[in-house]
Structures are given as C-alpha cells and as structure tokens.
Amino acid sequence: MDNFQIETAQNVQIGHQVAGVGERILAYLIDGILILGYVVLVAFLLEQLQVPDQGWGLLMVVGLPPFLYFLIWETFWNGQSPGKKAMDIRVVKLDGTRAGFPDFLIRWILRVIDI
C-alpha cells in the first residue's frame, strides 16, 4: 500500500495508507457476491412462497436494496461496506477525515465513474 502524509493546522504529521487496486477490486467482488446472494435468495423465497408478480412492488423488494447497497452500508458503517470491512479499508475525504453523508451520496451518484 502507498502512504500519504497530512499535516494538520498544529503542524502534526498524520500518515495514512492508501488501499491498492487489488484490495479495492477484491472488496468490490465481495460486495458483488453479497448483492448477488441477496437477489438469488429473495427470488428463491418469492418463488417458494408463490408471490404473484405485482410489478413495481416486486421490483422494489428485489432491486432497491442492491441499488442502495453502497450508500446505506458506507453511511451507517463509518465508510465501509462488508467487502471493505473484510479488506480493512474505508472511504475517507481527501484530507483523511471521516466522510459524511453528502460525500457518500455524491460517491454513490457517480458510482459509474468511480468503478
């Protein structure tokens, strides 16, 4: 991992490690497996319960959690999704401070570019 230094207003040097591309990809794959597992499990349960196709309602149950996966996990788990937690990485601001909801929201909206 690469390191970068941040100098605070009190002239204190704080060092951070930057996650490598391999770690980021592995974390994303772990999250992808969890999302796929959710979709397969919910589809299987809906099939077993013989739930009739209700259009938008069914789409919301199956599609909304994977759609909001990263936004929800990173917001409530201090910048980490389960994949990031497994790889011991997290989302922070450029200066190394904790990211907030607006940061996660912008990141989520721009996810296509981020990937």
Side-chain angles (χ1 to χ4, degrees), residues 16 23 25 52 65 97 111:
H16 286 280
E23 293 165 325
I25 290 173
T97 60
R111 171 105 10 223

Side-chain angles (χ1 to χ4, degrees), residues 1 22-24 26-31 34 69 73 77 79-90:
M1 280 195 220
E23 293 165 325
R24 294 170 193 245
L26 189 54
Y28 189 75
L29 288 175
I30 292 169
D31 289 328
L34 291 173
Y69 178 86
W73 280 109
W77 261 26
Q80 292 179 308
S81 64
K84 289 182 183 77
K85 185 146 184 89
M87 298 305 299
D88 198 29
I89 58 178
R90 78 179 62 237

Side-chain angles (χ1 to χ4, degrees), residues 5-31:
Q5 296 281 335
I6 298 170
E7 186 171 333
T8 67
Q10 293 81 20
N11 294 325
V12 176
Q13 295 284 333
I14 300 173
H16 286 280
Q17 290 183 329
V18 178
V21 173
E23 293 165 325
R24 294 170 193 245
I25 290 173
L26 189 54
Y28 189 75
L29 288 175
I30 292 169
D31 289 328

Side-chain angles (χ1 to χ4, degrees), residues 36-64:
L36 180 64
Y38 169 80
V39 170
V40 168
L41 179 65
V42 169
F44 176 76
L45 288 174
L46 291 174
E47 180 67 29
Q48 292 300 315
L49 296 173
Q50 298 177 351
V51 175
D53 186 7
Q54 296 295 323
W56 284 103
L58 187 61
L59 182 62
M60 291 296 165
V61 169
V62 176
L64 194 58

Side-chain angles (χ1 to χ4, degrees), residues 96-113:
T97 60
R98 181 179 176 182
F101 181 73
D103 304 310
F104 298 131
L105 183 62
I106 291 169
R107 178 180 165 87
W108 177 73
I109 291 170
L110 301 174
R111 171 105 10 223
V112 174
I113 295 170

